[in-house]
Amino acid sequence: MQRCAVTHALLRRRWVGNLPACSAGARRVHTQPDKADAIDLSKFPVERIRNFSIIAHVDHGKSTLADRLLELTGAIAKTEKNKQVLDKLQVERERGITVKAQTASLFYTHQGHQYLLNLIDTPGHVDFNYEVSRSISACQGVLLIVDANQGIQAQTVANFYLAFEAQLTIIPVINKIDLKNADPDRVEAQIEKAFDIPGEECIRISAKLGMNVERVLQEIVTRIPPPTFSTDDPFKALVFDSKFDHYRGVVANIAVFGGQVRKGDKVVLAHLGKSYEVNELGVLRPDEHPTNRLYAGQVGYMIAGMRDVKETQIGDTVYLLQQPVEALPGFKPAKSMVFAGMYPVDQSEYTALHSAIDRLMLNDSSVSVQRDSSLALGMGWRLGFLGLLHMEVFNQRLEQEYNASVIVTAPTVPYKAVLSSPKLIKEHGGEEITIVNPAHFPDKSVVSHYLEPMVMGTILTPDDYTGNIMNLCLTRRAIQKNMVYIDDHRVMMKYLFPLNEIVVDFYDLLKSLSSGYASFDYENVGYQPADLIKMDFLLNGKPVEELTTIVHKDKAYSMGKAMCERLKDSIPRQMFEIAVQAAVGSKIIARETIKAYRKNVLAKCYGGDITRKMKLLKKQAEGKKKMRRIGNVDVPKDAFISVLKRKDK
Ligand code: GDP
Ligand code: MG
C-alpha cells in the first residue's frame, strides 16, 4: 500500500510540476502553485486568455516546443526526460509522430498580469489534417514552426493556408537554429516570399535547447488577440474532442464560447437533446486538473455521465438545461479518401470489436463506418480513412488500446459510376453511385461512365531532384499545373493526380527518390471521368473478393502481373500447389504458381513424449489462426495490404 502511494506521488510530481527544484530561483516566469482540486479560473477574464495552436510540417519541432512551453510555465517539471510529453499514445511514442491534437493550459505572467494560455499541439502529417482544422476552430492564433535547416515544406504551406483562411494571427517561428546547417536567413526569406509575412515578424529559436522560447510566450500575449466571448452570455461550449474512459465514461474536451458552467449544473448536448449533470470540470495541464467552473474563452474537459459514445458527437454544442441557445455550426465532416474492409480475425469477437471501433471513433471522429460482410471473412465493416497512414494508425490503436485483432482488406479510393440502366437508377434513387467496395463495382453494361477522385498535390523539393520527381509523377498519370521557385534552389510544384495513384506508396517513393528532401501534401479537387475496370484475383480458381481491385485500363496488365507476384511472395507455401491468377471479366491476364511444400512439424519428433507433440501442434494451429482460409488456401492477414504496395521506380 505504502509503495503504491509513493509511486503515485512520484508520477504526479512529474506531471504536476511546481516541485521546489523547478519553481525555485528568480525566473521571470510565474510558476503558479495549483492545488489539484482548486484551480480558480475566475481570475482569468477573457482579455487575459490566449488560445493558440502549434502547426508545422512533420518533425519541425512542434511537440518539442510544446515541452519547453510547458516547462517554462511550470506545468511540468523541467527534466531531461521531457520528450514530446504531449504525445501520450503508444503509437505516437513508437512512431515518433503526433496523431492526436493535445491541449494544455498554461499560466504565465507578463508585465505583472497573469495570463491563461491554452496550447494545442497538432499533428503534421497530411492524414491528420482534420485534427489541425478542428484545433484551429478553438484558437485565435497559431505558431507556425519552420525548421531552420529544412525550410518550408509541403505541410507548412497547407497548414499556413488553414490558419490564414480562418483569419488567425500567425506567428512564424524558425526552429532548430542550433543545428550546424541551420540557415535562418534563408528560411526567413522563404517565409516572406511564400506567405508574404515580413521577415522581422519571425522568431528564431531552438526548442531543443530552450533558446529564445521565453520570447515566444511574450509574443503570444502581445500579438494574439484574446477571444471575443463574454461571461455574461448564456453558457455555450463546443465539444472539439473526446475520449472514452472505462471508469468515468465519456470525457469531452470543450471550448467555452460564452457564459460559464459549474460542477453540478444540468447541461444539454444539442445533437440528441439529452440532459446530464456535470460531475467534473477541469483544465488539462496536460493531465487533468479539476476546477469548479469554466468560463467564457477557456478550454477544458467535462465529465457528465455520458456512457454511450453515440451521445457525444464531436462538433456538438453544450448549453444549460434552463438556458437553451442556438447550436454552434460544428465541424464539416471529414471526407474519407481511403476505404477498407475490417473484420475480426475470429467471428466470435465481432461484438467486442464493434464496441472497440465505436470507442476509438470517439477519439478519432474522422473515421467513417458502415456495415459490410464478405464470404470469406464473415461480418465486418467498411471503414473510411483520410489516408493510408491514418488507416494503419487506427489499426494499431485498435490492437494496442483495445487488444483487438483485425483483418484489414486492400484499401480503395471512393469511385463513382453514372448509371445508364433505368432499372438501376430507380433502385438507387439517382444516376450516380459511389463505390467504396470494389466487389460492388457495377458492370460496364449498366454504366454510362465511371469517375475517379482527383487531388491537387503540392510537392516541395530541392531542384536537384525535380527531374526524377517529374518522371515519377508521369508514371502516376499526373498532370503538372504549376512550378515556381520559392528561393534559389527550392521548387514548389503542383500536380493534378488521380487519388488512387498516390494513396498507397507515392509518398515513400518520393522520399526515397529525393533522399528524404521532398515533401508532399494534397487536397481534394473532385471527380474526373476515367476508364476503369474491375480486376479479380483467383486462388486455385476461386475468386478472392477481398482482393478485387479497380484499375485504370492502361495499367491493368502491369498491375495484374505485379499483384500476382506479390501475392506469391506473401502467401506461404502450402501442402498443395496454388495457382494465383488475375482476371478481367473471364479473361486471365496474369498467373503465378506457388509450389507445394509439406511442413510436418512432427517430422523431427520421433516417438517420445505426447505432450511435446501436442505443444507443437498447438503452436502450428496458433500460427494458422493469423491466416485466413480462402477456399482451401491459407492467406496471412497482412497479405491484403502488402500486395498493393508497388515497387516501381
Ligand atoms: P513535431 O513532429 O513537429 O512534433 O516534431 P518533434 O517535436 O517531435 O521533433 C522532431 C525532432 O526534431 C526530434 O528529434 C527533436 O528532438 C528534434 N528537434 C526539435 N526541436 C529542435 C531544435 O531546436 N534543435 C534540434 N537540434 N533538434 C530539434
Ligand atoms: Mg509532434
Side-chain angles (χ1 to χ4, degrees), residues 487-639:
D487 68 17
D488 295 348
H489 296 293
R490 242 185 128 63
V491 181
M492 178 156 83
M493 298 191 272
K494 294 250 180 207
Y495 273 95
L496 185 67
F497 286 97
L499 174 62
N500 88 318
E501 294 286 341
I502 55 148
V503 98
V504 179
D505 53 358
F506 180 79
Y507 188 64
D508 294 344
L509 287 171
L510 183 75
K511 278 274 166 206
S512 64
L513 271 184
S514 63
S515 317
Y517 285 117
S519 60
F520 180 63
D521 196 283
Y522 59 82
E523 58 179 338
N524 262 337
V525 287
Y527 279 79
Q528 246 182 28
D531 254 340
L532 303 172
I533 48 179
K534 178 165 120 174
M535 187 152 63
D536 294 311
F537 288 87
L538 317 172
L539 292 180
N540 276 349
K542 210 171 156 47
V544 186
E545 197 181 272
E546 296 68 33
L547 287 173
T548 299
T549 309
I550 297 165
V551 287
H552 191 266
K553 196 170 110 265
D554 298 347
K555 296 210 157 179
Y557 279 94
S558 57
M559 178 99 169
K561 185 162 178 292
M563 277 186 60
C564 281
E565 279 166 11
R566 266 174 266 135
L567 263 176
K568 183 183 166 194
D569 293 343
S570 50
I571 299 178
R573 286 176 166 200
Q574 288 165 40
M575 307 244 271
F576 40 82
E577 190 174 280
I578 304 167
V580 183
Q581 294 168 308
V584 173
S586 56
K587 194 167 151 207
I588 303 292
I589 58 166
R591 172 186 170 124
E592 291 287 331
T593 308
I594 304 173
K595 292 240 160 61
Y597 174 65
R598 192 185 161 84
K599 191 172 184 196
N600 184 351
V601 290
L602 299 182
K604 287 190 211 134
C605 254
Y606 310 109
D609 183 5
I610 179 78
T611 57
R612 195 165 148 234
K613 278 189 188 167
M614 297 308 283
K615 242 189 207 161
L616 280 168
L617 286 171
K618 194 165 160 242
K619 216 167 135 197
Q620 189 188 34
E622 270 168 14
K624 282 216 169 126
K625 243 179 151 178
K626 295 203 182 99
M627 310 264 212
R628 205 57 224 178
R629 175 152 283 222
I630 290 168
N632 55 356
V633 182
D634 287 324
V635 182
K637 67 184 181 122
D638 51 4

